[in-house]
Amino acid sequence: MRMQSAALVSMLLAAAAAAQDFPIDPPRRPVPVGPAPPPLLAASQGESAAQELITPFQLLDRFVLPGTRQRLQWRPPDGLGRGEIPSPITVVHGAKPGPVLCLIAGIHGDELNGIEVARRIGQEVDPTRLEGTLIVAPIVNIFGFTRNNRFLPDRRDLNRHFPGSRTGSVAARMAHGFFNDVVRRCDALVDFHTGSFQRTNLPQIRADLTNPDVLELTRGFGNTLVLHSPGTRGMLRVAAVAAGIPAVTFEVGAPQFLEEEHIAPAADAIRALMHRMTMLESEAHGGPQTISAPIYQDSSWVRANTGGFLFGEVELGQQVKLGQRLGHVIDPVTNRRTEIVAPFPGQVLGKALNQQVLPGYAAFHVGKLTSEQQAVLEAAQREDAADPVEEEDPSARPGEEGRGEVEREE
């Protein structure tokens, strides 16, 4: 009987041990790897510094990954671009967070210098070293570019219709589409132009110096001269500023030509701006630099009083004195010679190329140098006294708008 009881107990214990799904012995603690931490000091948790998450940049229904460059395409709305090649848009999305800078060119299809500056910068920037995003639209007016013409097919000036209208003219619809598709994504904007109607401009920034954000933006272009110009309604930079986007116009040389002597310094100015905005590290100077640029509060076009052949005698950027001869006009019929002289001392900011002119033709653009503080003060006083900008006649044609108001040649 005792032997049967002992056998039964041993069988029950064996069955219970076989039914367990966990070890009978308590688990052992893992053996620490590496040296033990010093007394009274906590061991390192191995946490790395958290980095800000960079998301893809969305534009024109596409996503651009951080640290990459992507080429997109923009077409005017409502089928306006049917049969035309699309406008190229280059997006360089940096590997680090930062502002969105837009370089816009080719609003006038024959202004080639700005197209090349924008294209050059868009291709050379390394996205892996960029902080922020660069949007480059080098040829907005693809209609005019393919025909080497300033205007749209309906003979309207695209830079007189921003921010545009969804139900307006061809120019208004195209301006509306581009403004909403691209411009509203910008934190700052540079719009490239050249002189118009056979005129050339010294590289210069045109900006409304009464706007504090615009004034701050103008400080980033190195030693490129700055001319106060509030602009007129319909211009891209005026519409952008009204939408809260600091914007300037960058005038570079003459239309229909590629002028490396103007393209190269303009590209350098954009590089300086990107350093100033901390989008690029300045290897040469160790960080963003502020260079005092010459400021011109006021300027005037000196006009020819007689018709004939215009011959210039001064160069872009040249300093001139009161009464100095700027050029002359020869009447090829009577051989009469008429001198054109400087009405005040200043610097030649722009001039007409040698050509046949009529009386009243704007021949030389002379600026009056001043300080930044004085320029801002005088600009504010002038704006307070000025009448509101009138709406430009939407039916204006090239022959009506180009000869009288050349100061608005953007």
Side-chain angles (χ1 to χ4, degrees):
M1 186 68 178
R2 289 182 180 178
M3 294 180 61
Q4 292 179 352
S5 298
L8 180 62
V9 171
S10 60
M11 290 176 60
L12 290 175
L13 290 176
Q20 295 186 77
D21 57 357
F22 55 86
I24 298 177
D25 295 334
R28 298 179 180 179
R29 293 182 180 180
V31 178
V33 179
L40 303 181
L41 290 181
S44 173
Q45 300 298 319
E47 297 180 356
S48 59
Q51 295 182 353
E52 185 174 353
L53 177 64
I54 308 301
T55 61
F57 186 82
Q58 183 178 6
L59 185 71
L60 303 177
D61 297 326
R62 300 287 294 274
F63 291 89
V64 183
L65 297 177
T68 66
R69 182 194 340 268
Q70 188 169 343
R71 181 175 177 178
L72 311 181
Q73 296 180 343
W74 178 80
R75 289 186 180 274
D78 303 324
L80 297 176
R82 188 177 303 163
E84 298 283 346
I85 61 175
S87 296
I89 306 289
T90 298
V91 178
V92 187
H93 188 33
K96 298 180 181 180
V100 179
L101 173 64
C102 290
L103 304 182
I104 311 298
I107 286 181
H108 295 140
D110 62 344
E111 297 181 349
L112 308 184
N113 285 335
I115 294 175
E116 173 58 17
V117 174
R119 184 207 65 81
R120 189 173 296 186
I121 295 296
Q123 292 303 308
E124 75 175 29
V125 171
D126 184 352
T128 64
R129 303 181 62 185
L130 178 66
E131 298 185 23
T133 305
L134 180 67
I135 299 177
V136 180
I139 313 174
V140 178
N141 180 6
I142 199 71
F143 300 98
F145 175 75
T146 56
R147 297 165 178 80
N148 196 24
N149 190 284
R150 175 184 177 92
F151 302 102
L152 292 172
D154 63 353
R155 301 296 293 168
R156 283 186 169 88
D157 187 330
L158 180 59
N159 205 33
R160 300 295 181 269
H161 292 85
F162 287 100
S165 168
R166 183 177 297 175
T167 58
S169 64
V170 170
R173 293 179 185 220
M174 187 170 177
H176 180 269
F178 184 77
F179 196 86
N180 287 278
D181 291 344
V182 178
V183 174
R184 291 193 183 277
R185 296 302 315 274
C186 309
D187 294 327
L189 184 146
V190 180
D191 181 21
F192 290 94
H193 286 272
T194 72
S196 60
F197 307 110
Q198 301 302 310
R199 295 181 178 86
T200 182
N201 286 325
L202 185 70
Q204 59 193 260
I205 301 299
R206 295 187 180 181
D208 183 1
L209 300 182
T210 63
N211 185 299
D213 294 331
V214 174
L215 176 63
E216 176 61 27
L217 181 62
T218 63
R219 293 174 176 149
F221 293 88
N223 60 354
T224 306
L225 70 89
V226 178
L227 174 63
H228 169 65
S229 174
T232 57
R233 186 174 300 167
M235 289 181 176
L236 173 59
R237 68 175 170 97
V238 173
V241 171
I245 304 167
V248 301
T249 298
F250 201 154
E251 293 280 339
V252 186
Q256 300 183 337
F257 298 100
L258 288 168
E259 303 167 299
E260 183 63 25
E261 67 272 23
H262 297 318
I263 293 172
D268 286 340
I270 297 300
R271 296 184 189 102
L273 173 65
M274 297 183 71
H275 291 314
R276 168 81 177 185
M277 297 175 66
T278 66
M279 298 180 70
L280 294 176
E281 295 182 359
S282 179
E283 298 177 355
H285 305 289
Q289 301 291 314
T290 301
I291 301 176
S292 179
I295 304 292
Y296 291 85
Q297 160 57 27
D298 198 7
S299 64
S300 295
W301 278 92
V302 184
R303 300 177 181 271
N305 291 323
T306 59
F309 292 164
L310 170 66
F311 293 93
E313 301 180 28
V314 292
E315 302 297 331
L316 288 178
Q318 182 175 333
Q319 298 288 339
V320 296
K321 301 178 181 179
L322 172 64
Q324 180 176 338
R325 189 170 62 218
L326 305 176
H328 62 274
V329 175
I330 294 287
D331 186 331
V333 177
T334 65
N335 292 319
R336 179 184 176 186
R337 177 188 175 109
T338 303
E339 310 289 345
I340 303 177
V341 299
F344 52 82
Q347 186 177 18
V348 180
L349 306 183
K351 68 175 186 175
L353 304 177
N354 290 348
Q355 60 189 283
Q356 182 180 356
V357 299
L358 296 174
Y361 191 80
F364 301 95
H365 192 195
V366 182
K368 302 176 182 178
L369 184 64
T370 184
S371 65
E372 180 184 281
Q373 294 79 5
Q374 185 65 21
V376 173
L377 177 61
E378 293 180 4
Q381 293 173 345
R382 178 177 297 183
E383 293 300 314
D384 291 341
D387 295 329
V389 177
E390 294 295 333
E391 185 79 39
E392 185 175 355
D393 182 5
S395 64
R397 293 297 184 267
E400 300 171 358
E401 67 181 357
R403 299 294 174 177
E405 295 293 336
V406 297
E407 291 84 352
R408 299 177 181 179
E409 62 187 17
E410 300 173 26

